[in-house]
Each structure stands twice: as structure tokens, then as C-alpha cells.
Amino acid sequence: MGPSGPTLATGWGYDMVFMGQAGSLTINLDEVQQRLERPDYAPVAESLREIGVGSSLDLFGTYAGQKSDLGEWTKGAAINRDADLRLSYLAGWGINSALEDVLYRQMLQYRRRPDMYSPGRQAGSGL
């Protein structure tokens, strides 16, 4: 995870999106939705629909936490680097594992309501 940024998880499987930047992060859900509705973003919107994400609210409703939330949960974890194939090796061992829901729920125990959303439509109280 970058110096500042949220973690978004689909809520099923092992798919996650990490976003980060050096400064504080502000997300305007209305602006994200407007982008998803633009013709040049049609491939992005279609890809998201294929995994059940139909709107910016759906996307950011998968918010699982940010660095300040997940620090305790990830404490002591090895850092994965691109040149290190250890994670790929371990993934092969766990290919038939069914821990995704357990791990996701563990992460959610540390989640706090984000303050990165700007005025405009806010994510629901489930965040």
C-alpha cells in the first residue's frame, strides 16, 4: 500500500485493488460515476460490470481499509517485491484454499470509516 491510500476488495475471491499517493487522497463519488458513464471509459465500466460492480457506489462500497486501519493486521508480514517469486509460489500451494472470506472478514475488523470522500454523494453507512 502506498503512503496514503485505500484498499478495495470485491468481497469474494482474492481480488483487491490498492491505491496510493504521496499526499492525502480525496475521492468524489459523483466524479467517478461521471467518468464511468463517459464513452472513453466504456471498457472500464464493462469490466467492472462483469464482476458485479455497476456504479461508483458499488466500487467504493468494497472499501476494506487504508494503511492506518490495516497496519496492525499486516504487522510483521513480509513485503512482496516484483522480483520475488515467493508469493507466486505460495499462491500455488493455496490454489484450492477457501480462506478468502475468512481473510476478508479479518481485514474488515480493522476498517474505520474513511475520510477521503469529498462533498458530493457519500458512500453509505456500511463503510
Side-chain angles (χ1 to χ4, degrees), residues 56-107:
S56 63
L57 284 176
D58 289 343
L59 176 62
F60 289 98
T62 65
Y63 175 76
Q66 56 191 339
K67 185 176 182 180
S68 60
D69 300 336
L70 300 173
E72 186 63 32
W73 189 68
T74 59
K75 189 176 182 178
I79 304 255
N80 185 55
R81 309 258 185 232
D82 288 343
D84 183 1
L85 297 176
R86 182 176 181 272
L87 188 59
S88 296
Y89 174 77
L90 292 174
W93 280 99
I95 199 157
N96 293 317
S97 170
L99 294 175
E100 62 273 9
D101 190 56
V102 171
L103 294 172
Y104 180 64
R105 291 182 189 284
Q106 285 177 1
M107 287 176 61

Side-chain angles (χ1 to χ4, degrees), residues 6 8 27-32 55-64 111-127:
L8 304 173
I27 298 170
N28 184 306
L29 298 177
D30 288 333
E31 288 178 8
V32 173
S55 70
S56 63
L57 284 176
D58 289 343
L59 176 62
F60 289 98
T62 65
Y63 175 76
R111 176 180 66 179
R112 292 184 302 235
R113 184 168 181 82
D115 59 359
M116 71 194 91
Y117 295 108
S118 71
R121 185 171 37 178
Q122 299 290 311
S125 60
L127 291 182

